[in-house]
Amino acid sequence: MKILVPVKRVVDYNVKVRAKADESGPDLSNAKMAINPFCEIAIEEAVRLKESGNAEEVVAVSVGDSASQEQLRTCLALGADRAVLIETNETPEPLGVAKALKAIVEKESPEIVILGKQAIDGDSNQTGQMLAALLGYAQGTFASEVTIQGNKVEVTREIDGGLQTVSLNLPAIITTDLRLNEPRYASLPNIMKAKKKPLETLSCEELGIDIAPRTETLKVSPPPERAAGIIVENIDQLVDKLKNEAKVIS
Ligand code: AMP
């Protein structure tokens, strides 16, 4: 079984992102970049399926500029066998990414594609669903458990107020939720070995796809500043302020 894992290069989750002064987008100059955390969970799950003898090959794929090679090398250090970069200087939207991934799926014929449930930069939560629709594949989104059952895969999904278990025919699309697993760290020997693993670069022209954006971002602005808090002297003062200033109790 071959597993394809799409990974996105995003700003590190520890970085406090600010909007550019002209509100044209987030200011990412000099920001630390990393693998999207949900994609790290996807790589971990694919590598575990390989380690348990359920898969033979794990292929990481990213759609982005040449800097995304850094995140693909990390995936190789975490246990992926090879990587593919679909290189573009556009900032692709989920539909564009899904189209590029569809072309790779048609080329590679994986039995399972494991994506993150969402990328923490755009918070779209769309790519996996769009890819499943474009390919006509079954999908198990928000997975907290994945079990291979012969020519099917069982996915336990985190839904409001509980868990739902679905059985999907292969090939299938899975998106990861936070509790699926705890990703490992890349060891130094594996980082060294990753430098020798294959990383192929393809262009959108070679794949015959158009990933030009369909939407225009009008502005990106920071949330309103919160007023500073105060320390009250006693309970009576607290009750008075809640009643008369905040007006949250009567
Ligand atoms: P989104 O729909 O943008 O929230 O992203 C959901 C998931 O789709 C991510 O966790 C990745 O697995 C995948 N994905 C999104 N954008 C890209 C990209 N540029 N390259 C590769 N995979 C991506």
Side-chain angles (χ1 to χ4, degrees), residues 145 147 153-159 163-168:
E145 202 179 332
T147 318
V153 58
E154 219 172 79
V155 177
T156 302
R157 309 183 54 233
E158 298 206 0
I159 55 171
L163 297 173
Q164 179 194 48
T165 304
V166 293
S167 174
L168 313 176

Side-chain angles (χ1 to χ4, degrees), residues 40-110:
E40 257 186 316
I41 296 174
I43 280 285
E44 178 66 31
E45 195 62 19
V47 171
R48 287 188 193 188
L49 286 169
K50 185 180 169 188
E51 288 170 345
S52 62
N54 284 299
E56 284 81 47
E57 193 181 27
V58 176
V59 182
V61 53
S62 195
V63 186
D65 63 14
S66 62
S68 303
Q69 288 187 30
E70 194 190 330
Q71 280 61 45
L72 288 172
R73 285 282 168 214
T74 307
C75 293
L76 295 171
L78 290 170
D81 298 289
R82 57 190 178 88
V84 180
L85 171 64
I86 303 170
E87 196 169 346
T88 172
N89 290 324
E90 298 264 5
T91 306
E93 317 177 324
L95 182 60
V97 176
K99 284 186 199 166
L101 295 176
K102 176 177 181 267
I104 293 296
V105 168
E106 284 165 351
K107 193 165 177 280
E108 296 276 350
S109 306

Side-chain angles (χ1 to χ4, degrees), residues 1 107 156 174 216 218:
M1 174 182 298
K107 193 165 177 280
T156 302
I174 296 172
E216 184 194 352
L218 298 180

Side-chain angles (χ1 to χ4, degrees), residues 36 38 94 116-130 139 141-142 157 175-177:
N36 178 47
F38 291 105
K117 75 166 178 183
Q118 84 195 56
I120 61 165
D121 51 1
D123 275 346
S124 300
N125 179 359
Q126 292 176 355
T127 310
Q129 295 88 328
M130 286 179 167
Q139 56 177 301
T141 49
F142 315 121
R157 309 183 54 233
T175 71
T176 62
D177 215 324

Side-chain angles (χ1 to χ4, degrees), residues 2-53:
K2 188 194 280 189
I3 305 181
L4 190 77
V5 184
V7 292
K8 187 173 188 190
R9 172 181 165 93
V10 296
V11 64
D12 187 277
Y13 70 94
N14 288 306
V15 173
K16 193 170 183 310
V17 179
R18 292 175 201 287
K20 285 184 190 158
D22 65 0
E23 299 194 328
S24 61
D27 184 2
L28 298 182
S29 47
N30 302 321
K32 182 174 176 234
M33 304 299 280
I35 303 180
N36 178 47
F38 291 105
C39 303
E40 257 186 316
I41 296 174
I43 280 285
E44 178 66 31
E45 195 62 19
V47 171
R48 287 188 193 188
L49 286 169
K50 185 180 169 188
E51 288 170 345
S52 62

